[in-house]
Amino acid sequence: MADIDDIKEGKDFGVDVPVETKPFPVRGSNALDWGMQDRLARIFQKKSNNTVMLAFDHGYFQGPATGLERLDLTIRPLAEYTDVLMCTRGGLRATMPADIRKPVVLRCSGGMSVLTELSNELVAVDIEDAIRLNASAITTNVYVGAEYEHQSLANLVKLIDTGNRYGIPTMAVTGVGKDMARDQRYFSLATRICAELGAHIVKSYFIEEGFEKVVAGCPVPIVIAGGKKLPEMDALTMAYKAIDQGAHGVDMGRNIFQSDSPVGMIKAIRAIVHDGEKPEKAFELYEAEKASA
């Protein structure tokens, strides 16, 4: 035990220095518990308060999607360049070495495929397994306006409640069915519902008209989905516009691993998200990496 014979009276109480109450820099997170803030700080980088997530969870409903036939060959080489791995527990355990030391946003929904109704999901991962995997956040889809809207919202609430119990943030993903609107009114509704139910991060889509209103109306950070594969310059421009209008990062998959130069593309995305580079400059970085490969 500590030696109690030489205890000295305290003398430097800093009575003239106000106690610092530094707010946590990520939107809507200043009142969270320390453990929750710690996990969010792993996701959102101190340099910019933004994040670059690498999404490769597509197989949980698409099977061996193009570009993800072998996760060990396509995704593992990209891991060092991302801030966050966004994946399933099976994909993580099977393909990622534990010493990669990247925070994980763990896909916790499932129970359907591209052959059925996408909104009919269930919580497919127990919180204890998320803890075993040291997940920095857990996630599920939310389909506002879809046939199984209520089920998807119930899944979100379950994740939020169990995650809160152990200090693990929840990211809500605003899924969009093929017949659903993709406009400011819809995404304002969907993202706000997710935040009001307690989600700590919301993943949504960038839209050309009114995206800044979607961000303004959501009291937690919005991270944009990459969506379908775009030409590289278009994807970089989308990322730049989203960050410029208030998004706190991107969660991209196909626009990175389906690129002609996946490493060049993720480096270019990082330059936009963390360094504020314009799309033209970021595209030069992509081209240089592609040429050197």
Side-chain angles (χ1 to χ4, degrees), residues 62-213:
Q62 289 183 335
T66 303
L68 294 178
E69 294 86 352
R70 287 280 301 274
L71 296 178
D72 57 328
L73 299 180
T74 57
I75 299 300
R76 192 182 295 166
L78 298 174
E80 66 177 289
Y81 303 105
T82 191
D83 298 323
V84 178
L85 301 170
M86 201 284 207
C87 57
T88 64
R89 58 180 171 180
L92 182 68
R93 285 189 167 110
T95 63
M96 288 296 161
D99 62 0
I100 198 66
R101 301 194 184 282
K102 295 291 181 178
V104 171
V105 172
L106 187 66
R107 164 64 67 182
C108 292
S109 57
M112 32 55 71
S113 75
V114 290
L115 303 178
T116 59
E117 169 56 47
L118 292 177
S119 64
N120 190 17
E121 290 191 320
L122 51 80
V123 173
V125 178
D126 188 86
I127 190 64
E128 291 184 358
D129 210 23
I131 294 169
R132 276 190 286 269
L133 288 168
N134 198 30
S136 292
I138 50 183
T139 188
T140 184
N141 289 336
V142 173
Y143 292 91
V144 173
E147 180 179 356
Y148 294 96
E149 172 189 283
H150 178 78
Q151 177 63 37
S152 69
L153 289 171
N155 293 342
L156 176 64
V157 170
K158 181 177 180 180
L159 284 190
I160 291 168
D161 286 342
T162 55
N164 283 345
R165 192 176 305 150
Y166 298 101
I168 302 177
T170 298
M171 180 171 79
V173 179
T174 55
V176 182
K178 62 182 180 179
D179 297 323
M180 297 169 68
R182 291 174 179 259
D183 56 21
Q184 182 255 315
R185 182 180 180 184
Y186 173 78
F187 287 118
S188 291
L189 175 66
T191 56
R192 184 59 175 264
I193 287 174
C194 292
E196 293 275 356
L197 288 175
H200 306 91
I201 310 167
V202 177
K203 176 179 172 181
S204 191
Y205 288 88
F206 176 75
I207 51 174
E208 289 290 344
E209 298 293 331
F211 182 73
E212 70 281 359
K213 295 180 180 177

Side-chain angles (χ1 to χ4, degrees), residues 13-23:
F13 292 94
V15 294
D16 297 326
V17 181
V19 175
E20 183 180 17
T21 55
K22 185 178 180 181

Side-chain angles (χ1 to χ4, degrees), residues 39-51:
R39 288 180 174 87
L40 288 169
R42 300 177 203 173
I43 294 170
F44 295 97
Q45 303 303 295
K46 185 176 181 179
K47 177 180 181 180
S48 62
N49 292 333
N50 294 334
T51 187

Side-chain angles (χ1 to χ4, degrees), residues 50-54 203 222-226 238-240 242-243 247-252 256 269-270 272-273:
N50 294 334
T51 187
V52 174
M53 299 183 185
L54 178 60
K203 176 179 172 181
I222 287 181
V223 173
I224 69 158
M238 178 179 68
Y240 177 81
I243 298 299
H248 274 278
V250 302
D251 185 15
M252 281 193 172
I256 291 175
I269 290 292
R270 292 187 64 83
I272 288 172
V273 172

Side-chain angles (χ1 to χ4, degrees), residues 273-287:
V273 172
H274 292 310
D275 301 325
E277 290 286 6
K278 298 291 180 64
E280 295 77 13
K281 179 64 175 179
F283 187 74
E284 291 177 9
L285 296 174
Y286 158 77
E287 291 274 78

